[in-house]
Structures are given as structure tokens and as C-alpha cells.
Amino acid sequence: MSDLFSESTTGTGERSKELTSLIDGIEAVLPQARQAISAAPDRKAIEQLRVEFLGKKGKITRLNQRLGKLSAEERPIAGKLLNTQRTEITELLEKRTAELESRELDARIAAEALDVTLPGIRPARGGLHPVTRVAREITDIFRGMGFRLESGPEVETEWLNFDALNMPEDHPARDMQDTFYTERGHVLRTHTSPTQLRSMLAAKPPMAVVTTGKVYRHDSDATHSPMFHQMEGFLVDEGISLGHLKGTLHEFLRALYGSEVRTRFRPSFFPFTEPSAEVDIWSEAHGGWMEVLGCGMIHPRVLQNGGIDPEKYGGFAFGLGIDRMTCIKFGIPDLRLLFENDLRFLRQFQG
Ligand code: DAH
């Protein structure tokens, strides 16, 4: 009944109650929407508002459904109003979306901005290993005295590593140097001395040669590593005496450790030299003499094996442990530190 009544009232020129209430309802939506949309913090909130106002169960849709209750005359009045409100809300949503998008873009541009005036990041710089530094320093000293630098292989024949150096199979010194053998019967050189023979076999005296390189022995503790570095030097000419050897090595040690270095020659034994000696230097830090070198006059049999006439020529030779020299030079307490590649340790020698 009431529906019939309301529909019939429109003809009188007075608004039906339903229309008045619907118009009130419609007019209340826009301020609500305006406020909510302008406060929407992001695009997700905008989407929620679109659903809340314009969605299938949204406020505008629900009001739209009420149009059906109006008379044919009143319906366009409310319908038109509803349309303008819908358009308005759609525009508000679009405007706010555009605003948020441009704000997001600004934020991204600000975040990705590059300050080209900031200082750059320097690439890390490597440095020479302390052993390399000392090896170069040592060879430089000998080159300054007229020695030339040569190198030899780390995998060596037994003949050159032992026999040719006057260390036959049954020689006790051969056992002292605990040897790594390859499957094919070669050895990892246990010392740099075989390079003497390689140089002798390749050239004629007079000759003065130094070599540095890796050598290998089967032991490892605070003062021994299975791989370590040696330098070998020798000189062959006519009329060479022990005096030449002493003078050369003394000069070398002064150049390396300073002119106040105290040196001592001690008789010793090596199969490839005769006579043989070891050289010590005085170490204040150690409070004692420290052995740094083995040396001697090249054994005639070694010269012969190198194709040199021992009647005509003589020579001296010396060998030293570069790692040991490095420890002494820098006061490094444990030789193994040199082979651990700990950057905190190695960085101290950069420069
Ligand atoms: N080759 C010896 C070693 O490894 C060091 C050495 C001693 C080399 C005396 C020499 C020398 O040339 O004359 O222990």
C-alpha cells in the first residue's frame, strides 16, 4: 500500500518521501567520498574506496537500486543526481590516483638519485707477498754484482737433483732431504742446486748465475714447510778462491741487512762443495747467531758433470732459504705464517 501511495504522490508537484530520503542519501555520499579519497595514502586504499563507493555492493550501487521504488516522474530526478555523483567520485578517484602515482615517482627518483660529487670507491690494491719482495731484493743485489738470473724446473730428474751434485744413491745426505717422487720417477726438486748444472751445461765459463724458486721436502713444523723458497748462486771462472766467496757473501749480507751486520763463516759439509761452510748472522732479537746460508767451493766432480774442466776452472756456490731470510728481515716468528695467505698478516707488508 505504501508503495502505491508513494508512487502516486508525484503527480501533485510535491516530492515523495522516498525521493527526499533518496536525495538526502545521495547528497551525503559525496562529502564522505571526497574526504576518504583525499586521505587515501596509497593506490591500494584507492582501490578499496572504489569498491566501497562504486562496486557491485557499493554505496552508489545500493542507492541506484532504490531508484526502482520511485515513480516514473521522480526517477530521472534522482537518477540524474546519482549520475553526477558517480561521475564526480570517479573523477576524484582518478585525480587522487594520479597524485599518488606522481608522488611515488618523485620518491623513486629521489631514492635512485646519484650524487656524482661523492668520492668513488677505490678498487682494492694488491701487494707483493713478503717472500716475493725479499726474493726480488736479494736477486737485485746479486744482479748489481754482475750475476745473471736464470730459472729451472720444479720437477727435476734424480740425476740433476742428486747424482750430478755428488750425492749418489747411498749418500746419507740423500736421506736427509725427504723427497717427493713423481710416478714417472722424477723428483720435486729438494733444493735449487740442480740449476747450477743446468746453467753449466748450457753455457761456458766465466759465468755467474742466481736462481730463485720453490723447493719441496717431506716435512712441516714451525721452521719447515713442505714447500719453501731457495735462492741459489754460483760463479765459475779461472783463479777463483775462497776469498771471492767470502767477499761476495759479506757484501750481499751488508746490502740486505745493513752495513753493521755481523757475519760468521763456519766450516760445514755439503757433498757438492769442498770445502764447505755455513754463514751465520748475529741476531739481536734472537740473542744469538742464526744460520742463513750454505756455501763452498764447487766440488771438481760437479764441475765435471756440468761439462767444465776442473783443472782449468774453479768456482764457488751458495744457497739460502728465502723464507727464513724474510722471517729474519721482518721479525716473523713462525715460518708457516708466510704460507697461510691470511690477508690480515699479508697486508702488513703492503707498500
Ligand atoms: N742445496 C743446499 C740445501 O738445500 C744449500 C746449499 C749449500 C747450496 C751449499 C749451495 C751450497 O750451493 O754451496 O740445503
Side-chain angles (χ1 to χ4, degrees):
M1 281 294 275
S2 71
D3 276 5
L4 273 175
F5 176 76
S6 71
E7 271 175 32
S8 65
T9 51
T10 50
T12 66
E14 253 183 54
R15 288 181 172 181
S16 69
K17 268 197 210 154
E18 179 59 28
L19 179 59
T20 312
S21 129
L22 186 53
I23 288 178
D24 286 350
I26 295 171
E27 284 179 340
V29 174
L30 190 58
Q32 266 179 38
R34 185 171 283 132
Q35 211 218 342
I37 292 170
S38 69
D42 52 32
R43 284 197 272 168
K44 206 173 136 210
I46 291 283
E47 195 43 43
Q48 278 165 5
L49 290 171
R50 183 190 309 283
V51 173
E52 184 182 332
F53 287 96
L54 306 178
K56 272 190 198 156
K57 292 176 187 163
K59 290 190 167 133
I60 294 288
T61 317
R62 284 211 306 271
L63 289 164
N64 199 51
Q65 284 158 0
R66 282 169 62 187
L67 289 177
K69 291 181 181 166
L70 296 177
S71 67
E73 291 80 24
E74 282 187 338
R75 201 172 294 151
I77 302 170
K80 222 172 137 191
L81 185 61
L82 203 56
N83 274 342
T84 51
Q85 304 287 301
R86 183 188 285 121
T87 313
E88 189 106 356
I89 292 173
T90 307
E91 277 170 10
L92 284 172
L93 287 166
E94 277 168 7
K95 239 179 79 191
R96 182 66 182 155
T97 304
E99 234 173 71
L100 288 171
E101 274 173 357
S102 98
R103 204 179 293 174
E104 268 171 37
L105 187 65
D106 287 349
R108 236 179 76 197
I109 289 171
E112 290 174 10
L114 266 186
D115 182 350
V116 293
T117 65
L118 285 174
I121 300 165
R122 279 169 196 261
R125 252 185 80 201
L128 292 177
H129 192 283
V131 169
T132 306
R133 281 178 56 188
V134 172
R136 288 196 184 175
E137 200 180 331
I138 292 173
T139 45
D140 279 351
I141 295 169
F142 280 107
R143 275 151 112 173
M145 293 195 258
F147 287 74
R148 69 168 186 268
L149 184 62
E150 285 183 4
S151 64
E154 289 171 30
V155 178
E156 191 51 282
T157 62
E158 268 198 275
W159 164 257
L160 287 178
N161 192 80
F162 294 122
D163 305 78
L165 286 163
N166 202 29
M167 298 164 86
E169 200 115 34
D170 54 358
H171 197 287
R174 206 151 155 166
D175 298 334
M176 279 161 46
Q177 306 193 349
D178 246 337
T179 312
F180 290 109
Y181 286 87
T182 71
E183 279 171 10
R184 294 219 209 132
H186 288 86
V187 298
L188 296 189
R189 65 179 176 192
T190 59
H191 53 177
T192 43
S193 300
T195 58
Q196 284 186 38
L197 285 147
R198 287 183 174 274
S199 303
M200 287 178 199
L201 291 165
K204 297 225 167 324
M207 58 173 90
V209 181
V210 284
T211 304
T212 60
K214 293 181 165 67
V215 302
Y216 301 85
R217 285 182 207 176
H218 218 297
D219 54 6
S220 179
D221 58 39
T223 50
H224 298 92
S225 144
M227 183 282 292
F228 57 105
H229 301 86
Q230 281 192 339
M231 196 215 68
E232 190 80 16
F234 79 98
L235 179 147
V236 177
D237 201 352
E238 289 177 51
I240 297 300
S241 73
L242 200 60
H244 293 117
L245 171 62
K246 284 188 79 171
T248 303
L249 292 183
H250 191 66
E251 233 7 76
F252 158 64
L253 291 168
R254 279 160 53 100
L256 186 64
Y257 290 114
S259 54
E260 61 294 341
V261 71
R262 286 173 63 200
T263 61
R264 177 173 87 172
F265 277 69
R266 216 168 10 85
S268 184
F269 172 79
F270 297 102
F272 28 87
T273 43
E274 180 58 37
S276 303
E278 277 171 320
V279 183
D280 302 335
I281 63 168
W282 179 261
S283 160
E284 212 51 62
H286 246 258
W289 292 100
M290 287 182 62
E291 180 205 323
V292 292
L293 269 158
C295 63
M297 304 308 288
I298 300 173
H299 197 288
R301 218 170 288 154
V302 175
L303 289 174
Q304 241 162 14
N305 289 334
I308 292 169
D309 178 3
E311 299 294 324
K312 187 166 178 208
Y313 294 104
F316 64 77
F318 50 89
L320 60 88
I322 299 174
D323 315 291
R324 196 132 205 271
M325 289 274 184
T326 306
C327 287
I328 296 170
K329 192 170 168 78
F330 295 118
I332 298 165
D334 187 332
L335 192 108
R336 284 171 296 194
L337 284 167
L338 294 175
F339 305 110
E340 280 163 2
N341 287 330
D342 184 335
L343 286 177
R344 291 169 303 177
F345 169 76
L346 293 176
R347 282 209 180 98
Q348 300 175 60
F349 303 95
Q350 241 173 33

